[in-house]
Amino acid sequence: MAEELNNRSQNILEVIVEDYITSAEPVGSRAITRRHSFNLSPASVRNVMSDLEEMGFLCSPHTSAGRIPTEKGFHYYIDSLLQVRDLSKEEETRLQSSYRFKDMKMEDIMQEVGRVMSGLSNYTGLVMAPKFASTVFRQIEFVRLSHGRLLVIYVSETGLVQNKVIAADPSLTARDLEQISNYLNREMTGLSIPKVREKVARELKAERIRYDELQKQALELSREALQEEAEDLVFVSGTSLMLEQPEFSTPDRMKRIIRTLESKKALIELLDRSQMAQGVQIFIGSQSEHTEIEGCSLVTASFSNKKGAIGTLGVIGPVRMPYSQVIPIVDFTAQLVSRILEREAE
Amino acid sequence: MAEELNNRSQNILEVIVEDYITSAEPVGSRAITRRHSFNLSPASVRNVMSDLEEMGFLCSPHTSAGRIPTEKGFHYYIDSLLQVRDLSKEEETRLQSSYRFKDMKMEDIMQEVGRVMSGLSNYTGLVMAPKFASTVFRQIEFVRLSHGRLLVIYVSETGLVQNKVIAADPSLTARDLEQISNYLNREMTGLSIPKVREKVARELKAERIRYDELQKQALELSREALQEEAEDLVFVSGTSLMLEQPEFSTPDRMKRIIRTLESKKALIELLDRSQMAQGVQIFIGSQSEHTEIEGCSLVTASFSNKKGAIGTLGVIGPVRMPYSQVIPIVDFTAQLVSRILEREAE
DNA sequence: ATTGGCACTCATCATGATAGAGTGCTAACA
DNA sequence: TGTTAGCACTCTATCATGATGAGTGCCAAT
């Protein structure tokens, strides 16, 4: 994979990628010698470019345009050439001060994170809140609706609130429900959802449960309440910023990208892929499969608290993206959110 | 306002509007005589069209194109010419069966309503959930987060769940909070939010409150919890359908419309205007002010249960919209949602 | 190995010609 | 007096044409 490139080729590839990132237009040999003082003539540069094209790092849209980096070119650039400097203390505080999370509930925090990150980077922001299953039980409450239907409200350790309607024995009184939730809150608090599920299953099998109808009800209800994964929360901010990018300037491309951003499902799939990884992840172009986001890159990072509630955030934009600026923003934001989740859990 | 139009003019205006609705292109005199069997020559039609243009119902994009209806033309069409037939029983059941609300929580219902309505009409769907202040108190719960911050969960009569973070005395124990919520649930259930606020204010002033610290705390907390209006919930579905419309086919228009649909604030303002009215409301074009939605029409209707929780739903699309099909869809959906809210409140 | 020179390619833009759709006007007609 | 046919006129959309300029590829000279 890691092909050899001599120094000169690297330099030239680098400036081509960088020029292309700022201009969005094919860059030619003359332009390179004009803007960067290699001591080389355009003709020499052309030779190198020709080689780079041969190797698949560059391509030309047509015979007499300049060259643009291929996805492979971008990969090489990111892996070998790009250097992301750490943020200075001042930058960090400046960045931090963009975010205002005072007294916000979880959902609003996620939304705000997306908005600010999008604003800072000028690309479309994506935030996927921690998955239900990765959260830690804190509290559960039941509210009776009509026809024996119950509204279950579940609060995770980090203050994420989810609710869901389930069917239940209509004869349950408010008093019963209170006892049930008391029981569950006493027993389950602090356990992760999979652990809760496990415990519920175990208890339901246990012998003594047969003698306590209410307790049995409690377990049944909690099983129903926690069984199915509530749909994931994805927040998209700054959709219209995508449309400002020249690569999506035609009506056709606009439609495509909007449709993609509209379909939460596709986004979840994308974001899921970087769920596990540590630090910033970069997906360039379709990266096999996923033709929906042809021409797009994704810069993501996961956040979590110590107890393991994991979410993912990042920005999506054209492959031609100023990674050196975007990466620190995403990186820092993920760390920031992790810290907030810690604080929330206390 | 209601200008006089003779029969012939009305007929011609009608077919022009309708042809334009289906074709999205200027309609000429010949096309009219060809497609509709008036016993008139194109020349006569031209005379009438010329008159209609004079009166401001039509305009021509340029000298030798056909004519297109002005907003005034559409207004006249909708007010005087359009006849919306009621849905047949079969159509109603067919429509109804598109919606699947089984065991859904409020938020999902709103989302689903938007999606289905958008799918049925092929335009972008908008749903604004009942405003916080228009709901009826059902239940309130408190969850302790870190640093004396409290998560308040409020459930309305219709099953709408809202939550919010407030600051509170860190020394309050879980036991205290339970008592507090018990007290509030006992006292406030069934009251509308304004009534609750009123009651809280009154009680806080009352003499005896001084002697019961916990009760005082309860009132303080509920005041804080219910004081500020949580931001309105607006659901937009089928954004990309907008981009299929020829009137938004240029990159520029696409950007504008996407930006508008992205800004919930603008949408809320729009939807608020039809809040009060009974039945279906139609806003054509900018309708003075609101230049953001230039070229757009809005068909909306409000829904509510008997206790008065009011929301608004509708579709947005180009002025050139098949109102005769869209109106019944919106109308029926609003009634359907009202019924669901009733059921929910029971 | 590098470079200057040169022919060649291709997209872009302005120009102009043409076809087609539709109007407005006028004169003839019922 | 209302209706119609005819005709000149206008405007757009489309296509072909040619000029321009940026950029390449190759070759021979350094």
Side-chain angles (χ1 to χ4, degrees):
Chain A
M1 185 64 192
E3 284 179 71
E4 297 296 324
L5 280 189
N6 63 38
N7 221 319
R8 173 185 295 180
S9 303
Q10 284 199 354
N11 286 339
I12 289 183
L13 179 56
E14 186 172 3
V15 306
I16 290 178
V17 171
E18 283 170 1
D19 279 13
Y20 180 66
I21 283 176
T22 65
S23 73
E25 261 157 32
V27 357
S29 54
R30 268 206 59 144
I32 292 176
T33 56
R34 223 184 306 117
R35 284 204 284 188
H36 307 268
S37 47
F38 297 115
N39 289 326
L40 283 179
S41 71
S44 308
V45 174
R46 277 205 285 282
N47 289 329
V48 178
M49 285 166 84
S50 187
D51 296 347
L52 287 171
E53 180 163 11
E54 189 71 26
M55 289 187 270
F57 293 110
L58 300 178
C59 66
S60 21
H62 58 84
T63 0
S64 95
R67 300 262 196 345
I68 63 179
T70 59
E71 290 188 4
K72 183 177 171 187
F74 271 103
H75 263 121
Y76 188 91
Y77 172 76
I78 288 169
D79 292 343
S80 314
L81 271 25
L82 178 68
Q83 30 202 355
V84 184
R85 61 174 191 1
D86 282 343
L87 294 171
S88 70
K89 272 278 167 290
E90 296 88 59
E91 287 171 309
E92 284 204 357
T93 50
R94 191 179 56 78
L95 222 56
Q96 176 136 22
S97 70
S98 307
Y99 294 91
R100 319 205 158 278
F101 297 126
K102 195 171 167 312
D103 280 358
M104 275 191 173
K105 61 188 182 196
M106 188 66 169
E107 226 170 301
D108 291 343
I109 290 177
M110 296 292 134
Q111 191 103 44
E112 171 77 357
V113 165
R115 256 199 300 265
V116 174
M117 196 170 49
S118 167
L120 288 172
S121 67
N122 258 304
Y123 291 95
T124 302
L126 303 177
V127 181
M128 183 169 69
K131 277 186 188 309
F132 180 64
S134 76
T135 60
V136 172
F137 190 102
R138 179 164 209 154
Q139 187 160 339
I140 200 164
E141 296 292 337
F142 300 94
V143 179
R144 294 206 308 161
L145 300 175
S146 58
H147 312 307
R149 295 176 323 124
L150 275 185
L151 180 69
V152 189
I153 301 168
Y154 162 79
V155 184
S156 80
E157 197 65 52
T158 51
L160 180 65
V161 179
Q162 304 234 11
N163 56 85
K164 182 179 175 183
V165 174
I166 62 176
D169 185 346
S171 66
L172 281 172
T173 66
R175 187 83 200 110
D176 292 337
L177 289 175
E178 206 183 312
Q179 285 192 276
I180 287 176
S181 59
N182 280 343
Y183 166 72
L184 291 174
N185 289 330
R186 203 168 50 240
E187 292 292 313
M188 309 299 179
T189 298
L191 300 181
S192 69
I193 291 295
K195 284 260 166 57
V196 172
R197 289 202 188 112
E198 221 174 87
K199 180 164 183 176
V200 168
R202 205 168 50 235
E203 301 260 317
L204 272 173
K205 274 202 200 124
E207 195 57 18
R208 63 185 162 72
I209 203 71
R210 314 222 169 154
Y211 306 107
D212 188 339
E213 184 56 31
L214 203 60
Q215 196 178 349
K216 187 172 163 196
Q217 287 270 21
L219 292 169
E220 289 285 4
L221 283 186
S222 72
R223 193 177 55 175
E224 255 205 271
L226 303 179
Q227 117 196 98
E228 226 166 86
E229 193 136 333
E231 84 174 357
D232 302 86
L233 292 168
V234 181
F235 301 92
V236 182
S237 322
T239 303
S240 60
L241 290 173
M242 207 59 145
L243 304 184
E244 303 296 334
Q245 300 301 329
E247 26 272 275
F248 305 106
S249 65
T250 68
D252 236 45
R253 309 237 165 192
M254 284 191 179
K255 282 192 220 169
R256 283 247 318 240
I257 196 70
I258 293 290
R259 264 199 290 263
T260 305
L261 292 176
E262 204 180 0
S263 129
K264 302 282 158 93
K265 239 179 90 197
L267 297 179
I268 288 171
E269 264 179 56
L270 282 172
L271 291 171
D272 264 345
R273 291 197 291 173
S274 63
Q275 188 73 278
M276 306 307 173
Q278 202 64 21
V280 175
Q281 290 233 294
I282 302 176
F283 299 95
I284 294 175
S286 48
Q287 197 115 42
S288 73
E289 47 185 338
H290 286 297
T291 57
E292 308 98 313
I293 59 153
E294 195 186 322
C296 286
S297 273
L298 201 56
V299 178
T300 66
S302 287
F303 54 87
S304 62
N305 63 5
K306 289 186 197 101
K307 295 206 179 145
I310 294 178
T312 303
L313 54 76
V315 303
I316 186 169
V319 175
R320 177 192 61 77
M321 201 194 264
Y323 296 95
S324 61
Q325 289 163 48
V326 171
I327 290 172
I329 292 176
V330 171
D331 194 18
F332 178 79
T333 303
Q335 289 171 34
L336 184 64
V337 174
S338 293
R339 279 207 299 279
I340 290 174
L341 292 191
E342 295 292 348
R343 196 190 65 190
E344 207 91 8
E346 179 211 29
Chain B
M1 186 63 191
E3 282 179 71
E4 298 294 324
L5 280 188
N6 63 39
N7 222 318
R8 171 184 296 176
S9 304
Q10 284 198 354
N11 286 338
I12 289 182
L13 179 55
E14 187 172 1
V15 305
I16 290 177
V17 171
E18 284 170 1
D19 280 13
Y20 180 65
I21 283 176
T22 65
S23 74
E25 259 156 34
V27 359
S29 54
R30 267 205 61 141
I32 292 177
T33 56
R34 223 185 305 117
R35 283 204 282 186
H36 306 267
S37 49
F38 296 115
N39 288 326
L40 282 179
S41 72
S44 305
V45 173
R46 277 206 286 282
N47 288 330
V48 177
M49 285 167 84
S50 187
D51 295 348
L52 287 170
E53 178 162 13
E54 189 71 25
M55 289 187 272
F57 294 109
L58 300 177
C59 66
S60 21
H62 58 83
T63 0
S64 97
R67 300 261 197 345
I68 63 179
T70 59
E71 289 187 6
K72 184 178 171 186
F74 272 102
H75 263 122
Y76 188 90
Y77 171 77
I78 288 169
D79 292 343
S80 311
L81 271 24
L82 177 68
Q83 28 202 357
V84 184
R85 62 174 191 1
D86 282 344
L87 294 171
S88 70
K89 273 278 167 291
E90 295 87 61
E91 287 172 310
E92 283 203 357
T93 51
R94 192 179 56 77
L95 222 57
Q96 176 135 23
S97 70
S98 308
Y99 295 90
R100 319 204 157 278
F101 296 127
K102 195 171 166 314
D103 280 358
M104 274 190 172
K105 60 189 183 194
M106 187 67 169
E107 226 170 300
D108 291 342
I109 291 177
M110 297 291 130
Q111 192 103 41
E112 171 78 356
V113 164
R115 256 199 299 265
V116 174
M117 195 169 50
S118 167
L120 288 172
S121 67
N122 259 303
Y123 291 95
T124 303
L126 304 176
V127 181
M128 184 170 67
K131 278 185 189 307
F132 180 63
S134 76
T135 60
V136 173
F137 189 103
R138 180 165 207 151
Q139 188 159 335
I140 199 164
E141 297 292 338
F142 299 94
V143 179
R144 294 204 309 163
L145 301 176
S146 59
H147 310 309
R149 294 176 324 126
L150 227 43
L151 179 68
V152 189
I153 300 170
Y154 162 79
V155 184
S156 81
E157 198 65 52
T158 52
L160 180 66
V161 179
Q162 303 234 12
N163 56 84
K164 183 179 174 183
V165 174
I166 63 176
D169 184 348
S171 65
L172 280 173
T173 66
R175 188 86 200 107
D176 292 337
L177 288 175
E178 204 183 312
Q179 286 193 275
I180 287 176
S181 59
N182 280 344
Y183 166 72
L184 291 174
N185 290 329
R186 203 168 50 238
E187 293 290 315
M188 307 300 179
T189 297
L191 299 181
S192 70
I193 291 295
K195 284 259 165 60
V196 172
R197 288 204 189 109
E198 222 174 86
K199 181 163 179 172
V200 167
R202 206 170 47 234
E203 301 260 318
L204 272 173
K205 275 203 199 123
E207 195 55 18
R208 65 185 160 73
I209 204 70
R210 313 223 168 153
Y211 304 107
D212 188 339
E213 184 56 32
L214 203 60
Q215 196 177 351
K216 187 172 160 193
Q217 286 268 22
L219 292 170
E220 289 284 8
L221 284 186
S222 71
R223 193 177 58 174
E224 255 205 272
L226 305 179
Q227 111 195 107
E228 228 166 86
E229 193 138 336
E231 85 176 357
D232 302 84
L233 293 170
V234 180
F235 302 92
V236 183
S237 322
T239 304
S240 60
L241 290 173
M242 206 60 144
L243 304 184
E244 303 297 333
Q245 300 300 329
E247 25 272 276
F248 305 107
S249 64
T250 69
D252 235 45
R253 308 240 168 190
M254 284 191 179
K255 282 192 219 167
R256 282 250 315 243
I257 196 69
I258 292 292
R259 263 199 291 263
T260 305
L261 291 176
E262 204 180 3
S263 130
K264 302 281 158 97
K265 239 179 90 195
L267 296 179
I268 289 171
E269 264 179 57
L270 283 171
L271 291 170
D272 265 344
R273 291 198 290 171
S274 64
Q275 187 73 279
M276 305 306 170
Q278 201 65 20
V280 175
Q281 290 234 294
I282 302 176
F283 298 95
I284 293 174
S286 48
Q287 198 115 42
S288 74
E289 45 185 339
H290 287 294
T291 57
E292 307 98 315
I293 57 152
E294 196 185 323
C296 286
S297 273
L298 201 57
V299 178
T300 66
S302 287
F303 55 86
S304 62
N305 63 4
K306 290 187 197 102
K307 295 204 179 148
I310 294 177
T312 303
L313 53 77
V315 304
I316 187 169
V319 173
R320 178 191 62 78
M321 201 194 263
Y323 295 96
S324 61
Q325 291 163 46
V326 171
I327 290 172
I329 292 176
V330 171
D331 194 17
F332 178 79
T333 303
Q335 289 171 33
L336 184 64
V337 174
S338 292
R339 279 206 300 279
I340 289 174
L341 291 191
E342 295 292 346
R343 197 190 64 189
E344 207 90 8
E346 183 212 27

